[in-house]
Structures are given as C-alpha cells and as structure tokens.
Amino acid sequence: MSDIIASIATPKGEGGISIIRSSGMGSLSVALKIFHTPSGNPVEKISPNIAHFGSIYDPSTRNCIDEVVLTWFKNPKSYTGEDVVEISAHGGTFVSSRILGLVLDYGARLAEPGEFTRRAFMNGRIDLSQAEAVADLISAASDKALQAAILQLKGRLSKKITELYDRLLFVLSQVEAAIDFPEEGLDFQKRDSSISELKQVREEVSNLINTYKQGKISRDGASVALAGKPNVGKSSLLNTLLQEDRAIVTPHPGTTRDTLEEKVRIKDTHINIIDSAGLRRHPETIEQEGIRRTRLAIDNADLTLVIFDRSQPLDENDDLICKEIHEKPKLVVINKCDLPEQWPIEQLSQKIETDTVVFISAKEQSGLDSLINAIYSCVIKEETNGEAIFISRERHRLNLVQASLSLEKTLTSLESQLSEEFVAIDLNIAMNHLATILGKVVEDELLDQIFNSFCIGK
Ligand SMILES: Nc1nc2c(ncn2[C@@H]2O[C@H](COP(=O)(O)OP(=O)(O)OP(=O)(O)O)[C@@H](O)[C@H]2O)c(=O)[nH]1
Ligand SMILES: [Mg+2]
C-alpha cells in the first residue's frame, strides 16, 4: 500500500487559484481533518467528483485559513488511480503553502517531482510512453508539439507498439510450440508465414524509426543556426525574428563571441535559433573559442541560415563559410538589401548552391515573410496528417533500432533453418525492446530518470 503524497500542483507565485493535491489511500480523511463547512462545522458527507465549497481550519488553533473548493476523485477513477483530493485555494504563495503544511502535518508526505504521474503509471492508468507524453504536453511550445504530445497521451503510439508486440507474440507462440514438440518442428508453411510476418513487422518498425527526425522537430523544435562572416547581420536577424533587442549589435565585426539560443515560433511549430560568432580566417585568440562554438552549432543544426552582406564585396571569409557549409542543410540569406548592392547574385552561385535564396533587410525588417516560409519548408519536410503515428523521443528510437536488429537476427536464423531455440531468443529480445517503450519491462533507474524531469505536483 502506498503512502499519501501531497504538493502544490500549480506554479509558484501569486495567481487566481492554487491547487493543493494529495493522492493515496486515506487522502480524503487527511483532508477532512482540516476542511470544514463554510460555517466551520465538520463535513459529514463528501461525494466523489463534486466540487465542495468550504473552509480550511488549522485544527491546532481553530483559526480559519482560507475559503476553498475541495474535490475528491475516488479510486480508481482518478489521475493516479488512487484516492486523489484537490483543494483549490486562493492563489497566494503563503496561503497555499500553509494549507500544504497542514496536509503534511496530518498524514501526507511531500511528493517527489513527477510522483503523481509515476503512480498513474505504476497503477496501470497509463503506460510509460503516455507518461512521457504528459511531460511533453506541459513543455509543448507550439501547435505541432502539442498535437504530437496529445496523440501520444491518447495512446496512439502505445496502440501501435502493442499491435506489433502481439504480432511477434503470435510468431513466438508457434516457435515455442515447435520447441515443445521437437518431433514436429516448424513445418515449412509455418516457417514461411512466420518469415513473412516478421518481415512486415520489421518494415513497420523501420517506418516508425524514420519518423523520428520530424517527430523530434515537432516536439523540440528545429535548431536553426545563423552563420556568416562577422558583421553580415546575424545578431540583427535574431533580434528581428524575436522582435526584441536580445543580442548585442554594433557596427564592429566580431561583436558576438558566445552562442546565444532563443525560441522563435513560426506558424504551428517553433525553432531554436542560434546566433554565434562570425566565421573568419585569422581570428584573434579570444574569437577562436567563439568560432569553435559556431562550428559546433552548425554541426548540430537541422538547418543553417548562411548569411551574406549585399552591401560589401564578397571576400575570403565568405569563401570560408561556403566551403564549410558545403554538405550541410542550409538556406542562403542575403542581408542588407536596403543598401546599394555591391555584387551580382551570379557571383555567389559559383561558390554555393543558390536554388533557394531569400533577400532580406534585418534592419528594415523586409523579406521576413519569405524567410519564415522558406525556413518552415526546409525544416518541416512533410505535413503530418492527424492520423500519422510518429516517435519523438530518443529512448523510443533506440529501442526500436534494437528491436529491428533482433528481428534481423531472428529472420536470419529462420531463413537458414537454425534451431527454433535461436529464433526464440532473438524474438524475445525484440519483444522486450518494444515492451520497454511501454514500460512493461523497465528498471527503476530509467523511471527515476523519466519522472525526475517532471515538475513537482505532476
Ligand atoms: N543597413 C543595414 N544594416 C544592417 C542590416 N543588418 C545589420 N546591419 C548592421 O550591420 C552591423 C552588424 O550587425 P550585427 O547584427 O551585429 O552583425 P553580426 O553578423 O552579428 O556581426 P558579428 O557578431 O560581429 O559576427 C550593425 O551596424 C547593424 O546595424 C541591414 O539589413 N541593413
Ligand atoms: Mg553578432
């Protein structure tokens, strides 16, 4: 039996309402020690799922502390699957921590981060991928991220993984029957149909793996690096996209020394835009570290905006950036188009692919719509429809890759007529990897890692 946990479920600070939430067997009796009718009498009857208006009293002083609304969610029909009590108090920092203090004094203990959701998982209300979706939903910063999280929370991914698992289980049952009755073995027909089923499952697993890059972009946003020689207007562009003076801009080349990352929402998604030191040959010592960081940002970016200054002749530093960015996903941006042009665009096409070029003025804020459209179509490769199932977490990808490798081995064993024992071992490993995604087989350490990233009260 689990103990009673409690915490303030709403964010720190002052607000309209603060919710003190508790969960566990006996959480209602704890609440009823401090919750009374509006006139201060003990409450005789509480019904589940109904908001009850009343007052919180400190039993030691008989002082009224707040007027609140209490709701009891009776197990198993609650977020955690246990008895859950939510006290909605006035949203003051002191009053809510005072009420929490009373709940703790009368039998609860403070919840760890994510412990409510962890209990929901332990009690089978949700599986592990759905628990992860709760965290994703809370941190979602765009419609795309929100949609990805809600589909996962509603069990879209779990359903697919369960379906694949069950199909493997069916194959395994045939293989195990052959192990149990060796005189019969896997007859030709069953071996053939198992091979074809395993191939189909492997195909579906690899389709899911292929959704990772776009799924991750939906969840976390794409990372977009700004690159170019010093003074082309990288920081000005960052500020323009953010609509605030975030980065320092000066007329002196070499102003930005460190990387600076900010979130910008574009359409239904968001990007993490990274401004950094301009690349140039023969940098001063102090610039070298900045340039190392720029290269790192470009290496890790989903897209790099390669920026050129239209108002100054192209030089060896522009050549340097063209060379370095050669193989990377990029979008060419010509800045300072408000000033007289110093070179024809053809001059650039000899140095870098210029299929899509966007002309802007970061200073005058012109060309921004085209830039935003171009960034969007570079990072969002295909429009995912509402039905699409995709993965967005590295943990899921790794398990699917492992499952796929084990399926490969299973198929090789089956095709080369190896003994059924070998087939069963690899098939079991593949199934275990799928089960790990759902949290059916999972180490405490992994659970700690997942739930510790939650906020307290969730
Ligand atoms: N006329 C004009 N000036 C611009 C434009 N964009 C930037 N500038 C100016 O160019 C100078 C350099 O701009 P920054 O944004 O600091 O350039 P940067 O690429 O970040 O430079 P570093 O940090 O030194 O690498 C500043 O004086 C800006 O006001 C533009 O579109 N038009
Ligand atoms: Mg700068």
Side-chain angles (χ1 to χ4, degrees), residues 234-235 248 255-256 275-276:
K234 300 178 293 298
S235 304
I248 299 173
T255 300
T256 306
D275 180 25
S276 54

